[in-house]
Amino acid sequence: MDLNTALAPIVLFVYNRPEHTKRTLEALSNNTLAAESSLFIFCDGVAEAASDENKKNNELVKEVIASKAWCGKVEIITSPVNKGLANSVISGVSQIIKKFGKVIVLEDDLLTSTTFLEYMNTALTLYENENRVFQIAGFSYNVPSIEIDHKSFFVPLTSTWGWATWNRVWENVDFECKDYNILKLDKALAKKFNFEGSYDYRKLFIQQMEQQKVSSWGIRFYWNAFKNHGLILYPDITLVRNIGWDGSGRHQDSYEVFPLKSWDWDYKITSFPEKIEMDEYIVNETRKYIKKRTSFFTKLLARMSQYLKK
């Protein structure tokens, strides 16, 4: 396959974190296919009532994104108003994916390995016409019990930390999700939606739809994939590292849920599944790992450890 003739556009969403944005762009520019790729940067605006610090950081972000040709072609789209992350992602992805048919998506706190774009473009081409494949994930949980062998596999759980998809999927996503109430009535379905009890996605979904405590496009995208029995391709070692666990963004504390002891910037995925099906062992091990890492006691111990170090 000649990737250079079929590279997916990259979409990056930024707002008010200049240092995170700079690190994200520097890592992206070190990708092996960066020089041949097109990058669209969507910079959200600030509300009139925003703090002076927020306004200053937003201007600094604009300086960062315009300071260098981070990829082969760069286009910057700035919003005159504050849309918020969820609306920015939905509108920005919709705009680009309609034109190109596929897209790779990043946010301003994600460092990518040098092979991230290779993996994304290869997978987008391989599974373009496989209707059950909903998304390509660049992040992975790095589950200790899963054997590492430069491979990828399918999991029925979407990702928001460096991902890709096609217009065939995105154009059919119902972001209004008026049918979410079924999760209140059907306990068995709710448990399955919660990745068999590994995390309370149902609670997050209801908060999104009813209580306005969260503003997430991701939980709504997951609901659409879940209803359609969608599968998501994951690498066996993460190609994306989240650096936003410092209280600067949506993560309001410094507890890194899925920490990395070490990271190989040049790790490459060379094996892709031919069959569109889950590996039950991998899925079950992933469920157990997510449940362990997101438990109350694990979080409490991590925060106590950080407090003692300070």
Side-chain angles (χ1 to χ4, degrees):
M1 175 181 59
D2 184 1
L3 289 177
N4 292 336
T5 63
L7 294 180
I10 308 156
V11 178
L12 171 65
F13 295 93
V14 302
Y15 174 46
N16 69 343
R17 294 191 286 179
E19 289 304 317
H20 294 75
T21 299
K22 183 179 180 181
R23 291 180 64 188
T24 293
L25 284 167
E26 287 175 341
L28 178 62
S29 68
N30 287 327
N31 262 256
T32 54
L33 294 179
E36 291 83 35
S37 298
S38 295
L39 171 63
F40 296 86
I41 305 177
F42 286 84
C43 183
D44 201 6
V46 292
E48 290 184 11
S51 67
D52 290 340
E53 182 181 8
N54 228 348
K55 293 176 181 177
K56 178 183 178 181
N57 284 333
N58 184 255
E59 291 302 317
L60 290 173
V61 164
K62 291 176 182 176
E63 291 179 14
V64 169
I65 60 180
S67 67
K68 183 179 177 181
W70 304 101
C71 288
K73 178 183 177 183
V74 180
E75 183 175 335
I76 297 172
I77 304 99
T78 58
S79 173
V81 298
N82 181 254
K83 295 181 178 180
L85 181 60
N87 290 333
S88 293
V89 170
I90 292 171
S91 62
V93 170
S94 297
Q95 178 182 331
I96 303 303
I97 206 168
K98 284 179 183 177
K99 182 177 180 180
F100 295 94
K102 55 188 175 182
V103 71
I104 299 168
V105 184
L106 292 169
E107 294 176 20
D108 63 0
D109 56 1
L110 301 175
L111 303 185
T112 52
S113 70
T114 61
T115 65
F116 170 78
L117 293 178
E118 287 186 54
Y119 161 77
M120 285 293 184
N121 280 285
T122 299
L124 282 169
T125 299
L126 285 173
Y127 304 111
E128 181 177 6
N129 298 315
E130 298 289 350
N131 289 333
R132 199 180 173 195
V133 183
F134 264 59
Q135 186 188 44
I136 311 300
F139 167 79
S140 188
Y141 296 97
N142 288 11
V143 182
S145 55
I146 295 176
E147 182 181 357
I148 304 303
D149 190 24
H150 299 271
K151 66 180 183 296
S152 52
F153 45 76
F154 290 112
V155 175
L157 186 67
T158 55
S159 175
T160 60
W161 295 349
W163 55 277
T165 194
W166 306 265
N167 191 47
R168 66 165 171 80
V169 174
W170 194 258
E171 68 179 356
N172 291 310
V173 175
D174 171 24
F175 284 105
E176 293 187 7
C177 301
K178 293 180 179 179
D179 54 356
Y180 78 95
N181 274 314
I182 191 173
L183 289 176
K184 292 182 176 181
L185 306 173
D186 191 329
K187 291 184 178 180
L189 188 68
K191 181 181 179 183
K192 188 175 181 181
F193 183 69
N194 285 346
F195 207 30
E196 298 297 340
S198 64
Y199 186 76
D200 199 348
Y201 293 102
R202 174 184 176 274
K203 179 181 178 181
L204 180 63
F205 194 22
I206 291 173
Q207 286 178 338
Q208 162 68 47
M209 302 307 299
E210 295 181 355
Q211 303 168 24
Q212 298 182 337
K213 288 186 177 181
V214 296
S215 179
S216 171
W217 67 269
I219 193 67
R220 289 177 277 172
F221 185 74
Y222 173 43
W223 174 241
N224 280 265
F226 175 80
K227 289 188 300 181
N228 289 282
H229 309 289
L231 293 178
I232 292 78
L233 187 78
Y234 279 80
D236 60 2
I237 285 185
T238 192
L239 305 180
V240 177
R241 185 161 197 171
N242 191 312
I243 56 172
W245 302 98
D246 55 4
S248 64
R250 290 168 298 158
H251 311 300
Q252 295 302 310
D253 56 43
S254 57
Y255 166 64
E256 189 172 0
V257 181
F258 305 109
L260 301 178
K261 294 181 179 179
S262 62
W263 194 35
D264 182 354
W265 286 88
D266 301 319
Y267 186 82
K268 187 172 183 177
I269 300 300
T270 57
S271 177
F272 295 82
E274 295 182 3
K275 293 183 178 179
I276 312 302
E277 61 185 19
M278 297 182 294
D279 182 314
E280 290 297 336
Y281 172 78
I282 289 176
V283 172
N284 288 332
E285 291 301 298
T286 302
R287 285 172 179 147
K288 289 190 290 185
Y289 183 71
I290 293 175
K291 185 174 183 178
K292 177 182 178 181
R293 292 301 309 168
T294 58
S295 72
F296 170 78
F297 294 106
T298 299
K299 291 181 178 180
L300 181 61
L301 288 171
R303 287 167 182 159
M304 287 176 63
S305 176
Q306 288 173 342
Y307 176 77
L308 291 173
K309 287 180 181 178
K310 292 180 180 179

